[in-house]
Amino acid sequence: MSESKAAPVTGLILSGGGARAAYQVGVLAAIADLLPDTARNPFPVIVGTSAGAINAVGLACGALHFPEAIRNLTQVWQSFHSAQVYRSDWPGVLRQAGRFVSNALFGLGGAAPVALLDSAPLRELLAERLDFSGIAAAVARRQLRAVAVSAFAYESAQAVTFYQGRAAIDPWFRHRRVGVPTRLAVEHLMASAAIPLIFPPVKINREYYGDGAVRQSAPISPALHLGATRVLVVGVSGKSRGSLDDVQIDRPPVARSQRPPSLAQIGGHMLNSTFIDNLESDIELLERLNYMGALVPDDVRRRGLGLKPVEVLVVAPSKPLDQIAARHRRELPAALRLFLRGPGATRASGAGVLSYLLFEAGYCNELIELGYQDAMAQKAELLRFLALEPSVEAQASTR
């Protein structure tokens, strides 16, 4: 079979975003319902960042039984509570806040990594629920090419993609972007999900790592390095990409409030910049490259001299997730509500931060349902993209 007629390799990219990653589970649940009963894992390449890395590895661990892996992920997110991710009780919150203040302001506490929240419960949950041996088994049985998680190295200032997959995949070295083959473990997930200042950095080998979305200038690139020729991107931004027609250039924007921005409002924009902007920019760049590649004459392309197109399909929230988080803010444990009230995270204007930290069942279930409905709204595109025939359930109903 020639390279031009080779079967496409589909990559799945799950972006970061803390509790927003519940949305991804809804999208995956819809895909599982669209699959025929006998279908295998449709994503040979799976790449995740931050909370998306946890979902990605959860899928990879169960790649031999894809629908079951989706059900397991869904069950976890549907019953989530903040206490399963970080210490949210009064003693835990007060102790961590005291450590953070004494270390950040007075330099006390030595060299131990300090953050606003203690993520030890998440480590215990991952160790209990994930069977990492499933990754090697799926690779050995050719149902998984590779799975990767990205983290940011604080000392070398590099975006490091740790991947586990077939031996034929070579590591890569780009400007501040490297790919490192390894056997994935809980430490890699904790590092990838360590949002700066909120969760403590994690030491792997001789270096500390934090959230993979930090300085990740090309979020789609790892999937392409691992062999993907087309990618499905599940985003967590509630703002869809618009056109110039959506921009009102005839008059300046009108401020909704005369109050200065709160710390939470500023923090929310910083988190959005970290988790969302690079991904959306990378998608836009890839679409432009595809357009340029299409302009290359056919005879030149046949000689392998043109750009190879990479098809991209994006599923993203149709509703603003910060507004959904604001409706569920009272679900946050009392200690956390008090802790976040001062910076303004419990107000509507500061709900951006809340949308990343609200690991509570009500909020997560609404995001799961939104992800399911958004994916089903793109049912025809998903079926075409994955070259699938709809399952009996999908033909009968969209839930």
Coordinates of all heavy atoms in Angstrom, one line a residue, residues 226-291:
L226 N 3.9 11.8 17.1 CA 3.6 10.4 17.4 C 2.9 9.6 16.3 O 2.6 8.5 16.4 CB 2.7 10.3 18.7 CG 3.3 10.9 19.9 CD1 2.3 11.0 21.1 CD2 4.5 10.0 20.4
G227 N 2.7 10.3 15.1 CA 2.3 9.6 14.0 C 0.8 9.9 13.5 O 0.4 9.4 12.5
A228 N 0.1 10.8 14.2 CA -1.2 11.1 13.8 C -1.2 11.9 12.5 O -0.4 12.8 12.3 CB -1.9 12.0 14.9
T229 N -2.2 11.6 11.6 CA -2.3 12.3 10.4 C -3.6 13.1 10.3 O -3.8 13.9 9.4 CB -2.3 11.3 9.2 OG1 -3.4 10.4 9.4 CG2 -1.0 10.6 9.1
R230 N -4.4 13.0 11.3 CA -5.6 13.8 11.5 C -5.9 13.8 13.0 O -5.6 12.9 13.7 CB -6.8 13.3 10.7 CG -7.3 11.9 11.2 CD -8.5 11.4 10.3 NE -8.9 10.1 10.8 CZ -9.8 9.4 10.1 NH1 -10.4 9.9 9.0 NH2 -10.2 8.2 10.6
V231 N -6.5 14.9 13.5 CA -6.7 15.1 14.9 C -8.1 15.5 15.3 O -8.7 16.4 14.6 CB -5.6 16.0 15.5 CG1 -4.3 15.4 15.5 CG2 -5.7 17.4 14.8
L232 N -8.6 14.9 16.3 CA -9.9 15.4 17.0 C -9.5 16.2 18.2 O -8.8 15.6 19.1 CB -10.8 14.2 17.3 CG -12.0 14.6 18.1 CD1 -12.9 15.5 17.4 CD2 -12.8 13.3 18.5
V233 N -9.8 17.4 18.3 CA -9.5 18.3 19.4 C -10.7 18.5 20.3 O -11.7 19.0 19.7 CB -8.9 19.6 19.0 CG1 -8.5 20.5 20.2 CG2 -7.6 19.4 18.1
V234 N -10.7 18.1 21.5 CA -11.8 18.4 22.4 C -11.3 19.6 23.4 O -10.5 19.4 24.2 CB -12.2 17.2 23.3 CG1 -13.4 17.5 24.1 CG2 -12.5 16.0 22.4
G235 N -11.8 20.7 23.1 CA -11.4 21.9 23.9 C -12.3 22.1 25.1 O -13.3 21.4 25.3
V236 N -11.9 23.1 25.9 CA -12.7 23.4 27.1 C -13.0 24.9 27.2 O -13.4 25.5 28.2 CB -11.9 23.0 28.4 CG1 -11.8 21.5 28.5 CG2 -10.5 23.7 28.5
S237 N -12.9 25.6 26.0 CA -13.2 27.0 26.0 C -14.6 27.2 25.6 O -15.1 26.6 24.7 CB -12.3 27.7 25.0 OG -12.8 29.1 24.7
G238 N -15.3 28.1 26.3 CA -16.7 28.4 26.0 C -16.9 29.4 25.0 O -18.0 29.8 24.7
K239 N -15.7 29.9 24.4 CA -15.8 31.0 23.4 C -15.4 30.4 22.1 O -14.2 30.0 21.9 CB -14.9 32.1 23.8 CG -15.3 32.8 25.1 CD -14.3 34.0 25.4 CE -14.7 34.7 26.7 NZ -13.8 35.8 27.0
S240 N -16.3 30.2 21.2 CA -16.0 29.6 19.9 C -15.3 30.7 19.0 O -15.5 31.9 19.2 CB -17.3 29.2 19.2 OG -18.2 30.2 19.0
R241 N -14.5 30.2 18.1 CA -13.8 31.1 17.2 C -14.8 31.7 16.3 O -15.6 31.1 15.6 CB -12.7 30.3 16.4 CG -11.6 29.8 17.2 CD -10.7 28.9 16.4 NE -11.4 27.7 16.0 CZ -11.1 27.0 14.9 NH1 -10.2 27.4 14.1 NH2 -11.8 25.9 14.7
G242 N -14.8 33.0 16.2 CA -15.7 33.8 15.4 C -15.1 34.4 14.2 O -14.0 34.0 13.8
S243 N -15.8 35.2 13.5 CA -15.3 35.9 12.3 C -15.3 37.4 12.5 O -15.8 37.9 13.6 CB -16.2 35.5 11.1 OG -17.5 36.0 11.3
L244 N -14.8 38.1 11.6 CA -14.8 39.6 11.7 C -16.2 40.1 11.8 O -16.4 41.2 12.3 CB -14.1 40.2 10.5 CG -12.5 40.0 10.5 CD1 -11.9 40.6 9.2 CD2 -11.9 40.7 11.7
D245 N -17.2 39.4 11.2 CA -18.6 39.9 11.3 C -19.1 39.9 12.7 O -20.0 40.6 13.0 CB -19.5 38.9 10.5 CG -19.1 39.0 9.0 OD1 -18.6 40.0 8.5 OD2 -19.4 38.0 8.3
D246 N -18.4 39.1 13.6 CA -18.9 39.1 15.0 C -18.3 40.3 15.8 O -18.7 40.5 16.9 CB -18.5 37.8 15.7 CG -19.1 36.6 14.9 OD1 -20.2 36.7 14.5 OD2 -18.4 35.6 14.8
V247 N -17.3 41.0 15.2 CA -16.7 42.0 15.9 C -17.3 43.4 15.6 O -17.4 43.7 14.4 CB -15.1 42.0 15.6 CG1 -14.5 43.1 16.4 CG2 -14.5 40.7 15.9
Q248 N -17.7 44.1 16.6 CA -18.3 45.4 16.3 C -17.2 46.5 16.4 O -16.7 46.8 17.4 CB -19.4 45.7 17.4 CG -20.5 44.7 17.4 CD -21.6 45.0 18.4 OE1 -21.3 45.7 19.4 NE2 -22.7 44.5 18.3
I249 N -16.8 46.9 15.2 CA -15.7 47.8 15.1 C -16.1 49.3 14.9 O -15.3 50.2 14.9 CB -14.8 47.5 13.8 CG1 -15.6 47.5 12.6 CG2 -14.1 46.1 14.0 CD1 -14.8 47.2 11.3
D250 N -17.4 49.5 14.9 CA -17.9 50.8 14.8 C -18.1 51.6 16.1 O -18.3 52.8 16.1 CB -19.3 50.8 14.0 CG -20.3 50.0 14.7 OD1 -19.9 49.1 15.5 OD2 -21.5 50.2 14.5
R251 N -17.9 50.9 17.2 CA -18.0 51.5 18.5 C -17.2 50.8 19.5 O -17.0 49.6 19.4 CB -19.4 51.6 19.0 CG -20.2 50.3 19.1 CD -21.6 50.5 19.6 NE -22.3 49.3 19.9 CZ -23.0 48.7 18.9 NH1 -23.0 49.2 17.7 NH2 -23.7 47.6 19.2
P252 N -16.6 51.5 20.5 CA -15.7 50.8 21.5 C -16.6 50.0 22.4 O -17.8 50.2 22.6 CB -15.1 52.0 22.2 CG -16.1 53.1 22.1 CD -16.7 52.9 20.7
P253 N -15.9 49.0 23.0 CA -16.7 48.1 24.0 C -17.2 48.9 25.2 O -16.5 49.9 25.6 CB -15.6 47.1 24.4 CG -14.3 47.7 24.1 CD -14.5 48.6 22.9
V254 N -18.3 48.5 25.7 CA -18.9 49.2 26.9 C -18.6 48.4 28.1 O -18.9 47.2 28.2 CB -20.4 49.4 26.7 CG1 -21.0 50.0 27.9 CG2 -20.7 50.2 25.5
A255 N -18.0 49.0 29.1 CA -17.7 48.3 30.4 C -18.9 47.9 31.1 O -19.8 48.8 31.2 CB -16.8 49.2 31.2
R256 N -19.0 46.7 31.6 CA -20.2 46.3 32.4 C -20.2 46.8 33.8 O -21.2 46.8 34.5 CB -20.3 44.8 32.3 CG -20.5 44.2 30.9 CD -20.6 42.7 31.0 NE -20.8 42.1 29.6 CZ -20.9 40.8 29.4 NH1 -20.8 39.9 30.4 NH2 -21.0 40.4 28.2
S257 N -19.0 47.0 34.3 CA -18.8 47.4 35.7 C -17.7 48.5 35.8 O -16.8 48.4 35.1 CB -18.5 46.2 36.6 OG -18.2 46.6 37.9
Q258 N -17.9 49.4 36.7 CA -16.9 50.4 37.0 C -15.9 50.0 38.1 O -15.0 50.7 38.4 CB -17.6 51.7 37.4 CG -18.6 52.3 36.3 CD -17.9 52.6 35.0 OE1 -16.8 53.1 35.0 NE2 -18.5 52.2 33.9
R259 N -16.1 48.8 38.6 CA -15.3 48.3 39.7 C -14.0 47.8 39.1 O -14.0 47.2 38.0 CB -15.9 47.2 40.5 CG -17.2 47.7 41.2 CD -17.9 46.5 41.9 NE -17.1 45.9 42.9 CZ -17.5 44.9 43.7 NH1 -18.7 44.4 43.4 NH2 -16.7 44.4 44.6
P260 N -12.8 47.9 39.8 CA -11.6 47.3 39.3 C -11.7 45.8 39.3 O -12.5 45.2 40.1 CB -10.5 47.8 40.3 CG -11.3 48.1 41.5 CD -12.6 48.6 41.1
P261 N -10.9 45.1 38.5 CA -11.0 43.7 38.4 C -10.5 43.1 39.7 O -9.5 43.5 40.3 CB -10.1 43.3 37.3 CG -9.1 44.4 37.1 CD -9.9 45.6 37.5
S262 N -11.2 42.0 40.2 CA -10.7 41.3 41.4 C -9.6 40.4 41.1 O -9.2 40.1 39.9 CB -11.9 40.5 41.9 OG -12.3 39.4 41.0
L263 N -8.9 39.9 42.1 CA -7.8 38.9 41.9 C -8.3 37.7 41.1 O -7.6 37.2 40.3 CB -7.2 38.5 43.2 CG -6.3 39.6 43.9 CD1 -5.9 39.0 45.3 CD2 -5.1 39.9 43.1
A264 N -9.5 37.2 41.5 CA -10.0 36.1 40.8 C -10.3 36.3 39.3 O -10.1 35.5 38.5 CB -11.3 35.6 41.5
Q265 N -10.8 37.5 39.0 CA -11.1 37.9 37.6 C -9.8 37.9 36.8 O -9.7 37.4 35.7 CB -11.8 39.2 37.5 CG -12.3 39.6 36.2 CD -13.2 40.8 36.2 OE1 -13.3 41.5 37.2 NE2 -13.7 41.2 35.0
I266 N -8.7 38.5 37.4 CA -7.4 38.6 36.8 C -6.9 37.2 36.6 O -6.4 36.8 35.5 CB -6.4 39.4 37.6 CG1 -6.9 40.9 37.6 CG2 -5.0 39.3 37.0 CD1 -6.1 41.8 38.5
G267 N -7.0 36.3 37.7 CA -6.5 35.0 37.6 C -7.3 34.1 36.6 O -6.6 33.3 35.9
G268 N -8.6 34.4 36.4 CA -9.3 33.7 35.4 C -8.8 33.9 34.0 O -8.7 33.0 33.2
H269 N -8.5 35.2 33.7 CA -8.0 35.5 32.4 C -6.6 34.9 32.2 O -6.3 34.5 31.1 CB -7.9 37.0 32.3 CG -9.2 37.7 32.1 ND1 -10.1 37.4 31.0 CD2 -9.9 38.6 32.8 CE1 -11.2 38.1 31.1 NE2 -11.1 38.9 32.2
M270 N -5.8 34.9 33.3 CA -4.5 34.3 33.2 C -4.6 32.8 32.9 O -3.8 32.2 32.1 CB -3.7 34.5 34.4 CG -3.3 36.0 34.6 SD -2.4 36.3 36.2 CE -0.9 35.4 35.8
L271 N -5.5 32.1 33.6 CA -5.7 30.7 33.4 C -6.2 30.4 31.9 O -5.8 29.5 31.3 CB -6.7 30.1 34.4 CG -6.2 30.0 35.8 CD1 -7.3 29.6 36.8 CD2 -5.1 28.9 35.9
N272 N -7.2 31.3 31.5 CA -7.6 31.1 30.1 C -6.5 31.3 29.1 O -6.4 30.5 28.1 CB -8.8 32.1 29.8 CG -10.0 31.8 30.5 OD1 -10.2 30.6 31.0 ND2 -10.9 32.8 30.7
S273 N -5.6 32.2 29.4 CA -4.5 32.5 28.5 C -3.6 31.2 28.4 O -3.1 30.9 27.4 CB -3.7 33.7 28.9 OG -2.6 33.9 28.1
T274 N -3.4 30.6 29.6 CA -2.6 29.4 29.7 C -3.2 28.2 29.0 O -2.5 27.5 28.3 CB -2.3 29.1 31.2 OG1 -1.6 30.2 31.8 CG2 -1.4 27.9 31.3
F275 N -4.4 28.0 29.3 CA -5.1 26.7 28.9 C -5.7 26.8 27.5 O -5.9 25.7 26.8 CB -6.1 26.3 29.9 CG -5.5 25.8 31.2 CD1 -5.6 26.5 32.3 CD2 -4.9 24.5 31.2 CE1 -5.0 26.1 33.5 CE2 -4.4 24.1 32.4 CZ -4.4 24.8 33.5
I276 N -6.1 27.9 27.0 CA -6.9 28.0 25.8 C -6.3 28.7 24.6 O -6.3 28.2 23.5 CB -8.2 28.8 26.2 CG1 -9.0 28.0 27.2 CG2 -9.1 29.1 24.9 CD1 -10.2 28.7 27.8
D277 N -5.6 29.8 24.9 CA -5.1 30.7 23.8 C -4.2 29.9 22.8 O -4.3 30.0 21.6 CB -4.5 31.9 24.3 CG -5.5 32.9 24.9 OD1 -6.7 32.6 24.9 OD2 -5.1 33.9 25.5
N278 N -3.2 29.2 23.4 CA -2.2 28.5 22.6 C -2.8 27.4 21.7 O -2.5 27.2 20.5 CB -1.1 27.8 23.4 CG -0.1 28.9 24.0 OD1 0.0 30.0 23.5 ND2 0.6 28.5 25.1
L279 N -3.8 26.7 22.3 CA -4.5 25.7 21.5 C -5.3 26.3 20.3 O -5.2 25.8 19.2 CB -5.4 24.9 22.4 CG -6.3 23.8 21.7 CD1 -5.4 22.7 21.1 CD2 -7.2 23.1 22.7
E280 N -6.0 27.3 20.6 CA -6.8 28.0 19.5 C -5.9 28.6 18.4 O -6.2 28.5 17.2 CB -7.7 29.0 20.1 CG -8.8 28.4 21.0 CD -9.8 29.5 21.5 OE1 -9.4 30.7 21.5 OE2 -10.8 29.1 22.0
S281 N -4.7 29.1 18.9 CA -3.8 29.7 17.9 C -3.1 28.6 17.1 O -2.9 28.7 15.8 CB -2.7 30.5 18.6 OG -3.2 31.6 19.3
D282 N -2.9 27.4 17.7 CA -2.3 26.3 17.0 C -3.2 25.7 15.9 O -2.8 25.3 14.8 CB -1.8 25.2 17.9 CG -0.7 24.4 17.4 OD1 0.1 24.9 16.6 OD2 -0.5 23.2 17.9
I283 N -4.5 25.6 16.3 CA -5.5 25.2 15.3 C -5.6 26.1 14.2 O -5.6 25.7 13.0 CB -6.9 25.0 16.0 CG1 -6.8 23.9 17.1 CG2 -8.0 24.8 15.0 CD1 -8.1 23.9 18.0
E284 N -5.6 27.4 14.4 CA -5.7 28.4 13.4 C -4.5 28.3 12.4 O -4.6 28.4 11.2 CB -5.8 29.8 14.0 CG -6.0 30.9 13.0 CD -6.3 32.2 13.7 OE1 -7.1 32.3 14.6 OE2 -5.7 33.2 13.2
L285 N -3.3 28.1 13.0 CA -2.0 28.0 12.2 C -2.1 26.7 11.3 O -1.7 26.8 10.2 CB -0.8 27.9 13.1 CG 0.5 27.6 12.5 CD1 0.9 28.7 11.5 CD2 1.6 27.5 13.5
L286 N -2.6 25.6 11.9 CA -2.7 24.4 11.1 C -3.6 24.5 10.0 O -3.4 24.0 8.9 CB -3.1 23.2 12.1 CG -3.0 21.8 11.5 CD1 -1.6 21.5 11.0 CD2 -3.4 20.8 12.6
E287 N -4.7 25.2 10.2 CA -5.7 25.4 9.1 C -5.1 26.3 8.0 O -5.4 26.0 6.8 CB -7.0 26.1 9.7 CG -7.8 25.1 10.6 CD -9.0 25.8 11.2 OE1 -9.0 27.1 11.3 OE2 -9.9 25.1 11.7
R288 N -4.3 27.3 8.4 CA -3.6 28.1 7.4 C -2.6 27.3 6.6 O -2.5 27.4 5.3 CB -2.9 29.3 8.0 CG -3.9 30.3 8.6 CD -3.1 31.4 9.3 NE -4.0 32.4 9.8 CZ -3.6 33.5 10.6 NH1 -2.3 33.6 10.9 NH2 -4.5 34.3 11.0
L289 N -1.9 26.4 7.3 CA -0.9 25.5 6.6 C -1.6 24.6 5.6 O -1.1 24.3 4.5 CB -0.1 24.8 7.6 CG 0.9 25.6 8.4 CD1 1.6 24.7 9.5 CD2 2.0 26.2 7.5
N290 N -2.8 24.0 6.0 CA -3.5 23.2 5.2 C -4.0 23.9 3.9 O -4.0 23.4 2.8 CB -4.8 22.6 5.9 CG -4.4 21.5 6.9 OD1 -3.4 20.9 6.8 ND2 -5.3 21.3 7.8
Y291 N -4.4 25.2 4.1 CA -4.8 26.0 3.0 C -3.6 26.2 2.0 O -3.8 26.1 0.8 CB -5.4 27.3 3.5 CG -5.8 28.3 2.4 CD1 -7.0 28.1 1.6 CD2 -5.0 29.4 2.0 CE1 -7.3 28.9 0.6 CE2 -5.3 30.2 1.0 CZ -6.5 30.0 0.3 OH -6.9 30.9 -0.7

